[in-house]
């Protein structure tokens, strides 16, 4: 992920959940206040990829699909004009690790309180909990209004 170190960056994790959409809206408002750029990061990971057998799918298909879906979601959540201003990154790997790397040197890392999986009553998802404990920049955890 190329970075302009002179510009404030606000990194936000987007995973298709309502809380990640709330985090995206928060990140855009905050970036406007600090004069920064928003970098939306979507992470894809194949279940069982790190097991003993090789994956039986084309890994490029998942990345292309994630990239297209992310663009559509940004437009739906922010509107076309605001979505165009957001830098997007689709990265393969562990979501918490990818977000921590992407947030190095950032003004803030913004994540939703819970992702798409997990327990409905949980206050924090595993990714938001992990990044809040390990990030080297401020972390903002945003709950969706639906929770």
């Amino acid at each position: 992920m190329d970075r302009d170190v002179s510009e404030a960056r606000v990194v936000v994790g987007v995973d298709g959940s309502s809380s990640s959409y709330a985090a995206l809206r928060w990140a855009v408002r905050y970036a406007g206040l600090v004069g920064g750029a928003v970098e939306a990061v979507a992470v894809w990971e194949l279940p069982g990829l790190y097991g003993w057998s090789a994956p039986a799918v084309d890994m490029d298909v998942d990345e292309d699909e994630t990239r297209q879906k992310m663009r559509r979601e940004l437009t739906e959540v922010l509107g076309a004009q605001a979505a165009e201003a957001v830098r997007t990154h689709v990265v393969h790997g562990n979501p918490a690790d990818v977000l921590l790397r992407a947030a190095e040197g950032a003004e803030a890392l913004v994540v939703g309180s819970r992702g798409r999986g997990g327990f409905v009553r949980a206050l924090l998802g595993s990714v938001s909990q992990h990044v809040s404990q390990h990030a080297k920049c401020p972390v903002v955890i945003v709950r969706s209004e639906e929770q």
Side-chain angles (χ1 to χ4, degrees):
M1 287 178 237
D2 297 331
R3 298 190 177 107
D4 178 359
V5 294
S6 64
E7 182 179 45
R9 293 181 311 111
V10 179
V11 176
V12 58
V14 180
D15 69 0
S17 67
S18 60
S19 64
S20 80
Y21 295 158
L24 177 61
R25 287 187 292 270
W26 193 97
V28 168
R29 286 190 305 270
Y30 182 71
L33 292 173
V34 299
V38 175
E39 293 186 5
V41 179
V43 182
W44 64 277
E45 181 176 44
L46 294 174
L49 179 62
Y50 302 107
W52 57 272
S53 64
V57 296
D58 180 1
M59 292 174 55
D60 292 334
V61 172
D62 292 339
E63 184 175 356
D64 291 340
E65 185 177 308
T66 302
R67 190 177 313 282
Q68 293 171 5
K69 183 178 179 190
M70 182 181 191
R71 239 330 129 193
R72 283 192 308 270
E73 290 174 346
L74 290 177
T75 301
E76 289 171 11
V77 172
L78 301 174
Q81 186 174 2
E84 282 299 315
V86 175
R87 297 177 189 153
T88 60
H89 304 283
V90 176
V91 183
H92 174 257
N94 174 280
D97 293 340
V98 169
L99 288 171
L100 289 171
R101 280 194 313 272
E104 289 176 5
E107 181 80 18
L109 171 59
V110 186
V111 293
S113 60
R114 286 189 306 107
R116 295 172 49 169
F119 299 99
V120 174
R121 293 188 182 176
L123 294 175
L124 290 179
S126 59
V127 173
S128 57
Q129 185 173 15
H130 185 84
V131 299
S132 70
Q133 294 172 349
H134 298 283
K136 295 182 177 160
C137 66
V139 175
V140 178
I141 300 172
V142 180
R143 290 183 57 145
S144 74
E145 293 180 14
E146 297 174 6
Q147 293 178 344

